[in-house]
Amino acid sequence: GEVTSHQDSTFLYTTPRQTCIGLWLALDDATMDNGCLWVRPGSHKEGLRRQFVRNPKHFGNSLSYNNGGEEEEGDPDAPQMIFRQLDNNPKNEKVTWEGALPKDSLPGPQCTGLYDAGFVPVPCKAGDLLAFVGQLDHLSLPNSSNESRHTFQLHCV
């Protein structure tokens, strides 16, 4: 299946500044038909849109170091992890597809919604290595071919 639009630093958040670098090694040729990577050039300058964090509703105050020694029970039915919106840049308001695909992205290979949203495909050959900062908005579409598209991915912080 597809990997929806995201920024790697959402999941690998660092302070005082974002330091995540993604390395994407193509083990097979990555084409428009078998689900190559798509990136949105310049999106790394817009800032991080959200952060994946532990949910205090699930964990109670066990995540706090200032609870005075009294444990407040969390709700085990609440999700353990949630997304926290980060509003550090007004340019992020134009991103209406967070955690999804832009409207009219499928079916490929037309992908008009991706082009309209500013994404460009990055087909590459087996052995090619793509490196990009964690704030870069990227995704991949489902493999609609009979060809495999394996990758090795490494994220460094």
Side-chain angles (χ1 to χ4, degrees), residues 8-26:
D8 292 338
S9 288
T10 295
F11 306 98
L12 298 165
Y13 188 86
T14 58
T15 59
R17 61 186 173 81
Q18 298 306 309
T19 61
C20 177
I21 298 289
L23 303 173
W24 195 93
L25 176 65

mmCIF file of all heavy atoms in Angstrom, residues 8-26:
data_model
loop_
_atom_site.group_PDB
_atom_site.id
_atom_site.type_symbol
_atom_site.label_atom_id
_atom_site.label_comp_id
_atom_site.label_asym_id
_atom_site.label_seq_id
_atom_site.Cartn_x
_atom_site.Cartn_y
_atom_site.Cartn_z
ATOM 1 N N ASP A 8 9.530 12.987 8.498
ATOM 2 C CA ASP A 8 10.153 12.036 9.413
ATOM 3 C C ASP A 8 10.382 12.622 10.806
ATOM 4 O O ASP A 8 10.313 11.906 11.808
ATOM 5 C CB ASP A 8 11.470 11.519 8.841
ATOM 6 C CG ASP A 8 11.268 10.641 7.614
ATOM 7 O OD1 ASP A 8 10.160 10.095 7.436
ATOM 8 O OD2 ASP A 8 12.227 10.504 6.830
ATOM 9 N N SER A 9 10.642 13.924 10.900
ATOM 10 C CA SER A 9 10.883 14.549 12.201
ATOM 11 C C SER A 9 9.637 14.552 13.081
ATOM 12 O O SER A 9 9.738 14.785 14.287
ATOM 13 C CB SER A 9 11.413 15.975 12.034
ATOM 14 O OG SER A 9 12.739 15.943 11.569
ATOM 15 N N THR A 10 8.472 14.277 12.509
ATOM 16 C CA THR A 10 7.263 14.094 13.320
ATOM 17 C C THR A 10 7.483 12.961 14.311
ATOM 18 O O THR A 10 7.055 13.025 15.458
ATOM 19 C CB THR A 10 6.061 13.768 12.408
ATOM 20 O OG1 THR A 10 5.790 14.880 11.577
ATOM 21 C CG2 THR A 10 4.818 13.405 13.207
ATOM 22 N N PHE A 11 8.152 11.919 13.875
ATOM 23 C CA PHE A 11 8.353 10.718 14.678
ATOM 24 C C PHE A 11 9.708 10.689 15.367
ATOM 25 O O PHE A 11 9.890 9.973 16.344
ATOM 26 C CB PHE A 11 8.197 9.476 13.784
ATOM 27 C CG PHE A 11 6.898 9.472 13.041
ATOM 28 C CD1 PHE A 11 6.833 9.914 11.723
ATOM 29 C CD2 PHE A 11 5.735 9.063 13.656
ATOM 30 C CE1 PHE A 11 5.631 9.925 11.034
ATOM 31 C CE2 PHE A 11 4.524 9.080 12.977
ATOM 32 C CZ PHE A 11 4.473 9.508 11.665
ATOM 33 N N LEU A 12 10.676 11.417 14.844
ATOM 34 C CA LEU A 12 12.033 11.478 15.399
ATOM 35 C C LEU A 12 12.349 12.929 15.743
ATOM 36 O O LEU A 12 13.229 13.561 15.173
ATOM 37 C CB LEU A 12 13.034 10.908 14.385
ATOM 38 C CG LEU A 12 12.789 9.443 14.038
ATOM 39 C CD1 LEU A 12 13.553 9.040 12.790
ATOM 40 C CD2 LEU A 12 13.153 8.556 15.209
ATOM 41 N N TYR A 13 11.601 13.459 16.693
ATOM 42 C CA TYR A 13 11.651 14.873 17.084
ATOM 43 C C TYR A 13 12.860 15.131 17.975
ATOM 44 O O TYR A 13 13.103 14.385 18.924
ATOM 45 C CB TYR A 13 10.363 15.210 17.835
ATOM 46 C CG TYR A 13 10.175 16.658 18.143
ATOM 47 C CD1 TYR A 13 9.591 17.510 17.213
ATOM 48 C CD2 TYR A 13 10.564 17.178 19.367
ATOM 49 C CE1 TYR A 13 9.398 18.843 17.495
ATOM 50 C CE2 TYR A 13 10.379 18.518 19.659
ATOM 51 C CZ TYR A 13 9.800 19.346 18.722
ATOM 52 O OH TYR A 13 9.610 20.668 18.995
ATOM 53 N N THR A 14 13.625 16.154 17.660
ATOM 54 C CA THR A 14 14.794 16.500 18.468
ATOM 55 C C THR A 14 14.735 17.972 18.857
ATOM 56 O O THR A 14 14.149 18.796 18.158
ATOM 57 C CB THR A 14 16.110 16.235 17.704
ATOM 58 O OG1 THR A 14 16.108 16.984 16.488
ATOM 59 C CG2 THR A 14 16.270 14.753 17.390
ATOM 60 N N THR A 15 15.349 18.294 19.988
ATOM 61 C CA THR A 15 15.458 19.681 20.432
ATOM 62 C C THR A 15 16.917 19.961 20.763
ATOM 63 O O THR A 15 17.655 19.040 21.098
ATOM 64 C CB THR A 15 14.593 19.944 21.695
ATOM 65 O OG1 THR A 15 15.032 19.074 22.738
ATOM 66 C CG2 THR A 15 13.117 19.727 21.427
ATOM 67 N N PRO A 16 17.376 21.178 20.648
ATOM 68 C CA PRO A 16 16.612 22.402 20.419
ATOM 69 C C PRO A 16 16.241 22.643 18.958
ATOM 70 O O PRO A 16 15.492 23.548 18.642
ATOM 71 C CB PRO A 16 17.546 23.503 20.916
ATOM 72 C CG PRO A 16 18.916 22.958 20.664
ATOM 73 C CD PRO A 16 18.797 21.466 20.875
ATOM 74 N N ARG A 17 16.772 21.824 18.042
ATOM 75 C CA ARG A 17 16.402 21.957 16.628
ATOM 76 C C ARG A 17 16.282 20.572 16.028
ATOM 77 O O ARG A 17 16.763 19.589 16.591
ATOM 78 C CB ARG A 17 17.424 22.799 15.859
ATOM 79 C CG ARG A 17 18.808 22.226 15.837
ATOM 80 C CD ARG A 17 19.814 23.184 15.183
ATOM 81 N NE ARG A 17 21.156 22.705 15.318
ATOM 82 C CZ ARG A 17 21.720 21.782 14.544
ATOM 83 N NH1 ARG A 17 21.048 21.259 13.564
ATOM 84 N NH2 ARG A 17 22.954 21.397 14.733
ATOM 85 N N GLN A 18 15.636 20.502 14.886
ATOM 86 C CA GLN A 18 15.441 19.218 14.221
ATOM 87 C C GLN A 18 16.738 18.775 13.542
ATOM 88 O O GLN A 18 17.355 19.552 12.815
ATOM 89 C CB GLN A 18 14.313 19.321 13.190
ATOM 90 C CG GLN A 18 12.971 19.657 13.802
ATOM 91 C CD GLN A 18 12.594 18.707 14.915
ATOM 92 O OE1 GLN A 18 12.620 17.484 14.761
ATOM 93 N NE2 GLN A 18 12.244 19.260 16.069
ATOM 94 N N THR A 19 17.153 17.528 13.823
ATOM 95 C CA THR A 19 18.415 17.028 13.272
ATOM 96 C C THR A 19 18.251 15.730 12.479
ATOM 97 O O THR A 19 19.249 15.152 12.050
ATOM 98 C CB THR A 19 19.433 16.775 14.401
ATOM 99 O OG1 THR A 19 18.905 15.793 15.293
ATOM 100 C CG2 THR A 19 19.749 18.063 15.156
ATOM 101 N N CYS A 20 17.027 15.263 12.281
ATOM 102 C CA CYS A 20 16.806 13.995 11.599
ATOM 103 C C CYS A 20 17.221 14.076 10.128
ATOM 104 O O CYS A 20 16.887 15.022 9.422
ATOM 105 C CB CYS A 20 15.331 13.614 11.695
ATOM 106 S SG CYS A 20 14.902 12.100 10.826
ATOM 107 N N ILE A 21 17.939 13.072 9.691
ATOM 108 C CA ILE A 21 18.301 12.905 8.282
ATOM 109 C C ILE A 21 17.818 11.513 7.871
ATOM 110 O O ILE A 21 18.095 10.525 8.555
ATOM 111 C CB ILE A 21 19.830 12.992 8.065
ATOM 112 C CG1 ILE A 21 20.369 14.355 8.480
ATOM 113 C CG2 ILE A 21 20.198 12.654 6.626
ATOM 114 C CD1 ILE A 21 19.985 15.487 7.560
ATOM 115 N N GLY A 22 17.091 11.444 6.773
ATOM 116 C CA GLY A 22 16.611 10.166 6.264
ATOM 117 C C GLY A 22 17.475 9.683 5.116
ATOM 118 O O GLY A 22 17.818 10.451 4.219
ATOM 119 N N LEU A 23 17.851 8.426 5.151
ATOM 120 C CA LEU A 23 18.599 7.793 4.070
ATOM 121 C C LEU A 23 17.710 6.698 3.487
ATOM 122 O O LEU A 23 17.213 5.839 4.220
ATOM 123 C CB LEU A 23 19.908 7.200 4.589
ATOM 124 C CG LEU A 23 20.849 8.178 5.282
ATOM 125 C CD1 LEU A 23 22.025 7.441 5.893
ATOM 126 C CD2 LEU A 23 21.312 9.242 4.313
ATOM 127 N N TRP A 24 17.495 6.740 2.189
ATOM 128 C CA TRP A 24 16.565 5.840 1.494
ATOM 129 C C TRP A 24 17.332 5.176 0.368
ATOM 130 O O TRP A 24 17.644 5.810 -0.635
ATOM 131 C CB TRP A 24 15.408 6.692 0.982
ATOM 132 C CG TRP A 24 14.167 6.014 0.534
ATOM 133 C CD1 TRP A 24 13.068 5.759 1.282
ATOM 134 C CD2 TRP A 24 13.857 5.580 -0.792
ATOM 135 N NE1 TRP A 24 12.104 5.178 0.503
ATOM 136 C CE2 TRP A 24 12.561 5.055 -0.773
ATOM 137 C CE3 TRP A 24 14.565 5.563 -1.996
ATOM 138 C CZ2 TRP A 24 11.951 4.527 -1.896
ATOM 139 C CZ3 TRP A 24 13.955 5.037 -3.121
ATOM 140 C CH2 TRP A 24 12.661 4.530 -3.056
ATOM 141 N N LEU A 25 17.669 3.902 0.536
ATOM 142 C CA LEU A 25 18.463 3.152 -0.436
ATOM 143 C C LEU A 25 17.547 2.258 -1.254
ATOM 144 O O LEU A 25 16.839 1.401 -0.704
ATOM 145 C CB LEU A 25 19.518 2.309 0.282
ATOM 146 C CG LEU A 25 20.373 1.393 -0.588
ATOM 147 C CD1 LEU A 25 21.242 2.203 -1.547
ATOM 148 C CD2 LEU A 25 21.221 0.477 0.278
ATOM 149 N N ALA A 26 17.543 2.445 -2.563
ATOM 150 C CA ALA A 26 16.735 1.617 -3.457
ATOM 151 C C ALA A 26 17.437 0.275 -3.668
ATOM 152 O O ALA A 26 18.551 0.231 -4.172
ATOM 153 C CB ALA A 26 16.529 2.332 -4.786
#
